[in-house]
Amino acid sequence: MGMANRENFPLVPFFYFFCMLGFVFIPTEASVKKYQFNVQVTNVSRLCHTKPIVTVNGMFPGPTIYVREGDRVLINVTNSAQYNMSIHWHGLKQYRNGWADGPAYITQCPIKTGNSYVYDFNVTVQRGTLWWHAHIFWLRATVYGAIVIMPKQGTPFPFPQPEREETILLGEWWNNDVEELVNQGNKLGLPPNMSDAHTINGKPGPLFPCSDKHTFAMEVEQGKTYLLRIINAALNDELFFAIAGHNLTVVEVDAVYTKPFTTQAILIAPGQTTNVLVQASQVPSRYFMAARPFMDAPLSIDNKTATAMLQYKGIPNTVLPILPQLPALNDTNFALSYNAKLRSLNSPQFPANVPLKVDRHLFYTIGLGINPCPTCLNGTQLIASLNNITFVMPQMGLLQAHYFNIKGVFRTDFPDRPPTPFNYTGAPLTANLGTTLGTRLSKIAFNSTVELVLQDTNLLSVESHPFHLHGYNFFVVGTGVGNFNPSKDPAKFNLVDPPERNTVGVPTGGWTAMRFRADNPGVWFMHCHLELHTSWGLKTAFVVENGKGVDQSVLPPPKDLPLC
Ligand SMILES: *[C@@H]1O[C@H](CO)[C@@H](O)[C@H](O)[C@H]1NC(C)=O
Ligand SMILES: *[C@@H]1O[C@H](CO)[C@@H](O)[C@H](O)[C@H]1NC(C)=O
Ligand SMILES: *[C@@H]1O[C@H](CO)[C@@H](O)[C@H](O)[C@H]1NC(C)=O
Ligand SMILES: *[C@@H]1O[C@H](CO)[C@@H](O)[C@H](O)[C@H]1NC(C)=O
Ligand SMILES: *[C@@H]1O[C@H](CO)[C@@H](O)[C@H](O)[C@H]1NC(C)=O
Ligand SMILES: *[C@@H]1O[C@H](CO)[C@@H](O)[C@H](O)[C@H]1NC(C)=O
Ligand SMILES: *[C@@H]1O[C@H](CO)[C@@H](O)[C@H](O)[C@H]1NC(C)=O
Ligand SMILES: *[C@@H]1O[C@H](CO)[C@@H](O)[C@H](O)[C@H]1NC(C)=O
Ligand SMILES: *[C@@H]1O[C@H](CO)[C@@H](O)[C@H](O)[C@H]1NC(C)=O
Ligand SMILES: *[C@@H]1O[C@H](CO)[C@@H](O)[C@H](O)[C@H]1NC(C)=O
Ligand SMILES: *[C@@H]1O[C@H](CO)[C@@H](O)[C@H](O)[C@H]1NC(C)=O
Ligand SMILES: *[C@@H]1O[C@H](CO)[C@@H](O)[C@H](O)[C@H]1NC(C)=O
């Protein structure tokens, strides 16, 4: 363990200290884990700039939530910052318990300055790496951390026990205040300035100015195997990640075990997690870990490389590290073939229960566009839409409106397919770029099976979009380039061992098909996990109805649920 990452140690759970120090400490039984999250403003220096950022407990990245499958988790979030706050536990299913999901104005009103809210949830039938982040405006730029769920007592990993494990949080850093940048972008109707750096565990690494001491280092011993829990917490960039001289064996994505496969680099979209095994099999030296974006659309992006160190024990800091070769920024082939290698483990113990029969077929187009904006510089603003609808955020929590049957907050007439079919990925469509505004949701019957095909379009530009569904995992049964063909493509679906995830990339100018069983009642957000696109309206939500059974309806709201 390099001393360089000392400031990343969480202060709350003591057992986590032992893990970080190299002991394998395993809490004995399912229990109640309590955390105190104080949202506050902290001065942080990076890239020769010092600026106040919003943090949890003064830490950047924030503390790791370290629990075991079956635990009950109580996180008391106290907001001492000047911004409204809410926190999402990304990938946790929150069965019947959307009240603890966190997206502002979807499942709760924000926690106002000076107030607290206790997120109270059970970790049920899930184990692996997830993460938490602010889910209001762009505050997740600095408010994020890892969630590690250990398997149940006595249940080993379905791969060799690693010597030690480490969380690797990939992020994006801006020298200026992020909310100010977003406000400026909104005024202009344009994207805000791109980030100034990418980071690994909050640190950009020595390829950036003033960053020698802002380099994350992990010490390893030759011959031993380590588990890296990699999380993409960046706002807008899909990233490649590699370690010089070392292959990575992928064993889990989005807290679901995969069939292991070995690769020189991984691709990870914002919102996704990937667990890899790394064998320290090389000549003892210093090797760079590196992360840099993937972008195969004609759009400008922060293309800078973040680095961290994999340092063999006993090797002095004076040894020059070696950089890994990452795929080219626009390497579409690498991206497609990497994603094609992902398969669920699908063992008797961890089966892939893919819905074979579909009750409800949904087809959503993803569009970028330009709407009028009288207050914007040129009278127009960039927007985004699903099935030509730009989502308008409501003034109160949608789950609250659903639970208490408050009328007029949202409609349930989100269309199952686009209003007018067209050649989605055909020649650039510059006409009819306007969209309809609305808070429109889709109503789904309890325990029905849903197939959703997300289709990218060439409206304004094609682009890769990582979509995240709250409250569920889904199976990624198919994907392709060009227009989805409903008569030919389903025959090629993988219904045996498709990857099971909570966030999936829709390829640039292509489509992705997912299936899930709607057995979790509530209101569940679905959105592009590029914050830029979320803020432009690339989002909607599902209202999953209650079932008839006693334990098939939304739980009553907690007494301390924040109100608007
Ligand atoms: C951050 O630094 C500025 C300038 O040095 C100082 O005025 C401010 O009080 C500091 N804020 C915090 C939260 O420490
Ligand atoms: C949450 O934390 C705040 C601030 O420390 C405290 O006042 C409040 O009592 C806590 N809530 C609970 C339920 O423990
Ligand atoms: C969590 O599990 C406990 C014990 O089974 C139960 O009492 C509680 O209601 C559950 N909480 C939620 C939010 O499901
Ligand atoms: C965004 O970048 C432009 C051009 O470099 C600069 O003039 C502007 O001040 C930046 N905006 C903010 C909010 O930092
Ligand atoms: C990594 O994998 C490549 C391709 O399979 C192989 O050629 C190479 O020898 C491997 N490197 C190590 C260090 O195992
Ligand atoms: C990175 O982007 C800059 C402009 O922002 C460009 O000048 C440079 O060539 C790009 N580098 C690569 C490797 O694409
Ligand atoms: C990728 O970018 C490089 C450098 O900008 C360019 O030469 C190459 O043609 C691009 N490849 C594709 C497939 O677009
Ligand atoms: C506004 O329009 C002018 C002239 O058409 C153009 O040069 C400029 O880039 C536009 N600015 C924005 C913010 O759209
Ligand atoms: C859609 O547009 C593409 C690109 O222009 C074209 O090759 C294709 O034939 C079109 N498809 C249909 C069905 O018109
Ligand atoms: C989207 O809706 C707008 C406003 O109703 C309409 O003008 C436009 O033609 C629609 N575009 C598509 C692609 O359906
Ligand atoms: C949902 O439907 C499946 C298939 O009919 C059934 O096996 C399962 O028990 C149902 N689940 C619930 C919670 O009703
Ligand atoms: C904070 O949230 C409350 C409740 O929704 C809202 O009334 C208020 O305008 C928000 N404040 C800011 C600064 O967004």
Side-chain angles (χ1 to χ4, degrees):
M1 170 61 48
M3 295 302 287
N5 86 328
R6 263 290 147 94
E7 69 181 64
N8 288 339
F9 283 9
L11 299 174
V12 185
F14 286 103
F15 51 84
Y16 186 64
F17 267 107
F18 293 115
C19 276
M20 297 291 278
L21 291 170
F23 298 102
V24 180
F25 179 88
I26 303 194
T28 49
E29 56 193 43
S31 54
V32 178
K33 299 273 161 58
K34 292 190 181 181
Y35 286 81
Q36 178 71 41
F37 270 29
N38 190 30
V39 176
Q40 61 191 73
V41 174
T42 312
N43 280 332
V44 168
S45 303
R46 294 290 185 272
L47 275 63
C48 328
H49 291 251
T50 299
K51 67 161 184 177
I53 62 168
V54 185
T55 67
V56 167
N57 301 348
M59 294 160 64
F60 174 64
T64 297
I65 299 288
Y66 197 88
V67 299
R68 184 177 283 287
E69 179 182 346
D71 281 348
R72 179 175 179 192
V73 188
L74 298 166
I75 304 163
N76 181 7
V77 176
T78 300
N79 185 4
S80 309
Q82 74 272 34
Y83 302 102
N84 279 340
M85 182 51 62
S86 80
I87 293 186
H88 172 49
W89 317 93
H90 184 116
L92 280 163
K93 287 184 195 163
Q94 306 289 11
Y95 191 64
R96 301 169 59 206
N97 187 31
W99 309 111
D101 192 38
Y105 301 108
I106 306 297
T107 58
Q108 66 168 91
C109 294
I111 307 166
K112 290 177 203 155
T113 304
N115 290 12
S116 296
Y117 177 46
V118 179
Y119 291 88
D120 177 355
F121 53 84
N122 294 322
V123 180
T124 317
V125 205
Q126 283 187 287
R127 80 298 299 171
T129 308
L130 294 171
W131 64 300
W132 56 266
H133 59 83
H135 210 306
I136 178 163
F137 309 120
W138 285 45
L139 289 169
R140 75 178 178 87
T142 58
V143 180
Y144 62 85
I147 301 177
V148 174
I149 309 168
M150 293 303 284
K152 277 194 169 147
Q153 183 71 26
T155 307
F157 295 129
F159 46 80
Q161 178 68 36
E163 173 71 13
R164 206 183 68 227
E165 51 179 77
E166 193 73 75
T167 52
I168 303 285
L169 284 140
L170 311 177
E172 252 181 300
W173 174 264
W174 279 263
N175 286 332
N176 288 342
D177 182 77
V178 178
E179 292 300 305
E180 211 174 288
L181 286 160
V182 174
N183 289 340
Q184 187 182 60
N186 289 344
K187 273 198 200 113
L188 299 175
L190 292 173
N193 292 352
M194 65 178 68
S195 50
D196 295 295
H198 293 103
T199 56
I200 297 178
N201 287 344
K203 296 166 181 176
L207 304 187
F208 289 90
C210 309
S211 296
D212 281 339
K213 65 178 176 172
H214 297 305
T215 302
F216 171 77
M218 172 178 180
E219 190 180 86
V220 297
E221 282 180 67
Q222 200 186 22
K224 296 193 167 155
T225 300
Y226 299 83
L227 178 68
L228 301 189
R229 299 174 176 275
I230 306 164
I231 297 161
N232 187 346
L235 279 91
N236 298 311
D237 296 337
E238 296 188 50
L239 296 165
F240 292 120
F241 173 88
I243 307 178
H246 294 72
N247 286 338
L248 310 172
T249 302
V250 176
V251 292
E252 181 204 299
V253 294
D254 294 5
V256 183
Y257 297 129
T258 60
K259 291 196 170 72
F261 68 94
T262 298
T263 179
Q264 280 166 294
I266 65 159
L267 172 64
I268 185 166
Q272 295 183 329
T273 64
T274 304
N275 281 10
V276 301
L277 293 172
V278 181
Q279 208 184 352
S281 60
Q282 297 305 297
V283 177
S285 186
R286 299 167 82 217
Y287 297 88
F288 269 133
M289 308 179 185
R292 194 191 58 204
F294 162 58
M295 166 53 77
D296 63 350
L299 301 168
S300 60
I301 187 172
D302 171 7
N303 58 16
K304 294 185 277 305
T305 305
T307 52
M309 207 67 73
L310 185 83
Q311 181 150 357
Y312 280 65
K313 198 174 176 178
I315 300 297
N317 285 350
T318 47
V319 172
L320 274 182
I322 307 155
L323 259 178
Q325 189 146 21
L326 288 163
L329 195 75
N330 56 0
D331 196 339
T332 306
N333 289 339
F334 182 95
L336 294 176
S337 75
Y338 174 81
N339 282 329
K341 285 182 207 151
L342 292 169
R343 294 264 188 279
S344 285
L345 183 60
N346 191 28
S347 65
Q349 196 181 0
F350 303 104
N353 294 316
V354 189
L356 300 179
K357 182 182 128 300
V358 174
D359 298 321
R360 183 89 176 270
H361 286 271
L362 305 176
F363 182 81
Y364 291 2
T365 54
I366 301 165
L368 300 179
I370 299 173
N371 269 5
C373 168
T375 59
C376 294
L377 188 64
N378 277 1
T380 59
Q381 65 178 334
L382 289 163
I383 41 83
S385 64
L386 281 170
N387 278 352
N388 206 25
I389 297 165
T390 296
F391 189 85
V392 175
M393 286 303 255
Q395 305 287 310
M396 68 179 294
L398 294 178
L399 181 60
Q400 206 184 347
H402 168 62
Y403 187 86
F404 293 105
N405 202 15
I406 300 165
K407 303 285 179 209
V409 180
F410 63 87
R411 283 156 52 179
T412 54
D413 61 351
F414 191 90
D416 285 7
R417 59 206 107 258
T420 325
F422 57 99
N423 187 351
Y424 306 113
T425 55
L429 295 172
T430 43
N432 284 344
L433 284 173
T435 62
T436 307
L437 304 181
T439 308
R440 294 166 67 181
L441 282 59
S442 193
K443 194 186 259 191
I444 308 283
F446 178 75
N447 206 29
S448 59
T449 53
V450 179
E451 179 181 291
L452 168 62
V453 176
L454 288 165
Q455 171 73 61
D456 189 27
T457 70
N458 203 16
L459 289 171
L460 212 55
S461 173
V462 288
E463 188 174 351
S464 170
H465 297 274
F467 263 79
H468 174 46
L469 174 61
H470 290 227
Y472 291 92
N473 283 349
F474 47 77
F475 291 95
V476 185
V477 295
T479 188
V481 173
N483 298 339
F484 174 67
N485 183 332
S487 59
K488 290 212 179 104
D489 289 322
K492 290 179 261 169
F493 283 175
N494 175 2
L495 302 178
V496 178
D497 61 354
E500 180 185 339
R501 338 198 44 146
N502 61 58
T503 307
V504 68
V506 178
T508 302
W511 56 271
T512 291
M514 58 171 83
R515 286 189 184 181
F516 63 96
R517 178 176 288 283
D519 58 2
N520 188 7
V523 176
W524 302 108
F525 205 25
M526 188 184 71
H527 58 100
C528 179
H529 217 279
L530 305 182
E531 207 52 43
L532 181 63
H533 294 167
T534 312
S535 54
W536 285 352
L538 197 45
K539 52 198 174 189
T540 182
F542 293 113
V543 186
V544 178
E545 292 173 294
N546 287 335
K548 295 203 169 61
V550 282
D551 54 358
Q552 295 177 350
S553 48
V554 176
L555 292 169
K559 289 192 179 62
D560 59 343
L561 183 73
L563 300 175
C564 284

